[in-house]
């Protein structure tokens, strides 16, 4: 059996220091598919371990072969859900379905993310991005994580029909779910109850204690019980006075209760958090490569290619899990039925077999076959919308903040799933 450094690959603290690209490079050469134990992390108990997949071709093979590597059997997070009931609930999520059930749910939601639907949003997203940057331009300095956080929250609230006063709830829900391994995020509660809509205030009454526990142990943050306030809000929103909203249409499309709640989860959390991490990460990447940053200032026509390279170089999601449906061989290893298989997008995006000089940031790179949006039947439905927001925010920052540069060290999110920043201090010249 191949050996690797499991404490570094799995341990969330590793990623608080930075994505271990050197280790990934070594593993692609020496142990491209290897066994990784799930060590205990804080209050979270140890798990059974998993097979980690590091090469681009193997990652694509896993993602495009749901008959062998299922999203449904054990869901798509490394940690197993706490209970059988928790697993049954999350299996209703589109992300955790295999064909043909996955295709049915995908068709229902696809109308919200067609290229035409996204183009219709382009002008308002670009206007919003400029307004967010202009609001801080006179200060000369800011935490760009805070500046950028509003755009994906605002965009999804717009798509979902969430009232403006309730947007902060989306921010808190994302923190609690995605940032549960980080002490600063797992108990996030920044929404002011007095400022919320009536349905927002009513939802807070359903929120469990922070951090939520079950039987004296930390509760799975993705469980129905841990997110009772979010799901109470989802139902109230769909039953509210906005019959044409996406969530109201979802309810009318014949989704089961569990499917509807998990669809709200996907919109409110998955579609939000990835951009909240990807946008600041993209700016940090540009600032750390000043020659590329200056070239992009001079050549706006390079923006689309630059966005793709940002996504390759700073993938917001670092890994996803599947479960083997039968005994199979991958990368010279025998994987048994029922074992976890975790693909590392962050490693695949630096695979020397696919990308020339993969550790070089090159905003003219073409082709750029990154897997940051996944591959196969689960390719991200929101990819068009994500690219648009990333483009809009980076262009607004570069165009409207002269001399933009780092003003201190960034602070990374402690997570082995999301490639995130908690703080990115920046500064620029002002006319004063």
């Amino acid at each position: 059996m191949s050996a690797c450094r499991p404490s570094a690959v799995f341990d969330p603290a590793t990623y608080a220091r930075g994505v271990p690209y050197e280790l990934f490079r070594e593993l692609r050469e020496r142990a491209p598919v290897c066994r990784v134990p799930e060590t205990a992390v804080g209050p979270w108990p140890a798990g059974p371990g998993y097979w980690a997949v590091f090469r681009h071709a193997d990652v694509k093979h896993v993602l495009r072969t749901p008959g062998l590597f299922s999203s449904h059997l054990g869901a798509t997070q490394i940690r197993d859900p706490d209970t059988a009931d928790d697993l049954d609930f999350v299996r209703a999520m589109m992300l955790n379905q295999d064909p043909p059930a996955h295709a049915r749910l995908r068709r229902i939601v696809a109308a919200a993310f067609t290229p035409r639907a996204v183009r219709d949003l382009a002008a308002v997203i670009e206007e919003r991005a400029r307004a967010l940057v202009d609001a801080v331009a006179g200060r000369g300095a800011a935490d760009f994580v805070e500046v950028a956080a509003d755009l994906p929250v605002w965009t999804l609230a717009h798509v979902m029909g969430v009232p403006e006063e309730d947007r902060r709830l989306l921010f808190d829900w994302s923190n609690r779910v995605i940032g549960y391994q980080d002490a600063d995020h797992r108990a996030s509660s920044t929404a002011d109850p007095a400022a919320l809509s009536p349905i927002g205030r009513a939802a807070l009454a359903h929120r469990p204690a922070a951090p939520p526990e079950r039987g004296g142990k930390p509760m799975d943050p993705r469980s129905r019980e841990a997110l009772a306030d979010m799901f109470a809000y989802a139902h109230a929103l769909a039953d509210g006075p906005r019959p044409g909203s996406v969530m109201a249409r979802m309810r009318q499309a014949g989704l089961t209760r569990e499917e509807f709640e998990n669809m709200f989860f996907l919109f409110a959390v998955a579609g939000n958090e990835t951009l909240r991490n990807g946008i600041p990460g993209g700016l940090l990447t540009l600032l750390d490569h000043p020659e590329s940053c200056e070239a992009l200032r001079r050549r706006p026509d390079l923006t689309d290619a630059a966005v793709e390279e940002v996504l390759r170089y700073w993938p917001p999601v670092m890994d996803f899990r599947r479960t083997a449906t039968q005994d199979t061989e991958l990368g010279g290893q025998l994987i048994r039925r029922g074992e976890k298989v975790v693909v590392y997008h962050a490693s695949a995006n630096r695979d020397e077999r696919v990308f020339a000089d993969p550790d070089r940031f090159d905003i003219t790179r073409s082709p750029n076959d990154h897997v940051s949006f996944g591959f196969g039947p689960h390719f991200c439905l929101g990819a068009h919308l994500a690219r648009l927001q990333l483009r809009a925010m980076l262009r607004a920052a570069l165009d409207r903040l002269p001399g933009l540069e780092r003003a201190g060290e960034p602070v990374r999110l402690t997570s082995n799933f999301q490639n995130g920043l908690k703080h990115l201090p920046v500064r620029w010249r002002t006319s004063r």
Side-chain angles (χ1 to χ4, degrees):
M1 180 180 295
S2 298
C4 56
R5 303 179 208 165
S7 60
V9 172
F10 174 73
D11 188 357
T14 296
Y15 302 88
R17 298 186 292 270
V19 180
Y21 285 114
E22 283 300 311
L23 176 56
F24 287 161
R25 180 189 58 77
E26 177 185 342
L27 291 168
R28 285 194 301 272
E29 293 304 317
R30 184 168 58 85
V33 177
C34 72
R35 190 76 184 161
V36 175
E38 295 174 64
T39 55
V41 177
W44 302 93
Y50 60 92
W51 291 99
V53 182
F54 298 106
R55 287 184 182 172
H56 188 275
D58 291 335
V59 166
K60 276 194 163 184
H61 174 65
V62 170
L63 294 177
R64 70 170 171 246
T65 318
L68 277 178
F69 302 101
S70 170
S71 298
H72 187 66
L73 284 180
T76 50
Q77 297 297 303
I78 296 178
R79 290 283 190 193
D80 291 322
D82 290 343
T83 68
D85 286 344
D86 287 344
L87 176 57
D88 283 344
F89 176 66
V90 299
R91 277 174 167 169
M93 186 183 296
M94 184 175 68
L95 196 65
N96 300 326
Q97 292 277 339
D98 296 325
H102 167 260
R104 179 183 70 87
L105 293 175
R106 193 175 176 96
R107 283 193 298 270
I108 290 172
V109 73
F113 295 108
T114 62
R116 178 177 178 179
V118 173
R119 282 196 302 271
D120 290 344
L121 284 171
V124 292
I125 288 174
E126 290 169 1
E127 181 182 356
R128 183 68 181 181
R130 291 192 294 266
L132 290 171
V133 171
D134 288 347
V136 300
R139 301 180 194 171
D143 183 342
F144 194 74
V145 169
E146 295 180 2
V147 176
D150 185 78
L151 184 63
V153 171
W154 178 88
T155 301
L156 286 168
H158 181 81
V159 170
M160 297 166 69
V162 173
E164 181 176 353
E165 57 267 36
D166 292 340
R167 289 204 311 261
R168 201 66 185 180
L169 290 173
L170 300 179
F171 179 87
D172 286 339
W173 291 326
S174 290
N175 280 354
R176 283 161 50 192
V177 172
I178 301 297
Y180 77 95
Q181 295 170 330
D182 192 297
D184 292 335
H185 282 195
R186 69 172 61 113
S188 183
S189 181
T190 64
D192 177 7
L196 297 175
S197 72
I199 66 171
R201 290 194 297 274
L204 288 185
H206 297 271
R207 183 177 179 179
E213 293 186 346
R214 179 190 287 145
K217 296 180 180 179
M219 191 186 304
D220 186 336
R222 294 169 176 82
S223 67
R224 193 180 221 165
E225 190 176 350
L227 289 168
D229 52 331
M230 186 176 80
F231 296 133
Y233 185 89
H235 289 288
L237 181 68
D239 293 336
R242 302 186 183 200
S245 72
V246 166
M247 299 319 299
R249 294 201 301 271
M250 294 290 170
R251 173 70 66 80
Q252 296 159 7
L255 298 180
T256 67
R257 180 183 181 88
E258 291 78 11
E259 288 172 342
F260 171 77
E261 290 174 353
N262 276 286
M263 198 66 78
F264 188 91
F265 178 110
L266 270 182
F267 273 80
V269 175
N272 173 10
E273 191 69 19
T274 50
L275 267 296
R276 278 179 51 197
N277 292 322
I279 293 172
L283 183 67
L284 175 61
T285 300
L286 285 167
L287 296 182
D288 282 349
H289 297 83
E291 69 292 341
S292 295
C293 197
E294 183 55 33
L296 195 54
R297 286 184 188 276
R298 297 193 313 268
R299 296 272 311 275
D301 59 295
L302 293 176
T303 303
D304 288 343
V307 164
E308 296 307 310
E309 180 68 346
V310 161
L311 287 164
R312 183 191 73 87
Y313 205 85
W314 187 288
V317 175
M318 294 182 289
D319 55 71
F320 259 115
R321 174 251 181 107
R322 299 292 190 265
T323 303
T325 64
Q326 62 189 56
D327 291 359
T328 189
E329 186 273 337
L330 183 68
Q333 299 293 344
L334 175 62
I335 298 173
R336 297 291 186 183
R337 177 184 178 186
E339 290 185 324
K340 302 181 194 181
V341 178
V342 178
V343 295
Y344 279 82
H345 304 75
S347 174
N349 282 356
R350 302 286 183 105
D351 192 335
E352 301 82 355
R353 295 154 191 80
V354 176
F355 304 98
D357 198 1
D359 293 321
R360 178 169 58 92
F361 181 70
D362 179 6
I363 63 172
T364 66
R365 186 181 295 274
S366 180
N368 196 334
D369 190 21
H370 66 77
V371 290
S372 294
F373 290 124
F375 188 71
H378 280 280
F379 183 83
C380 179
L381 260 175
H384 291 302
L385 189 58
R387 288 182 171 109
L388 176 59
Q389 293 177 80
L390 188 56
R391 174 191 173 99
M393 203 69 199
L394 293 180
R395 279 258 55 102
L398 294 179
D399 292 345
R400 305 168 96 82
L401 302 176
L404 184 63
E405 63 181 6
R406 278 204 207 189
E409 287 300 309
V411 179
R412 294 184 58 90
L413 179 70
T414 299
S415 173
N416 58 14
F417 176 57
Q418 283 277 336
N419 187 14
L421 293 174
K422 296 192 290 185
H423 301 287
L424 176 58
V426 294
R427 63 191 171 207
W428 56 89
R429 297 190 305 273
T430 66
S431 57
R432 292 183 298 176

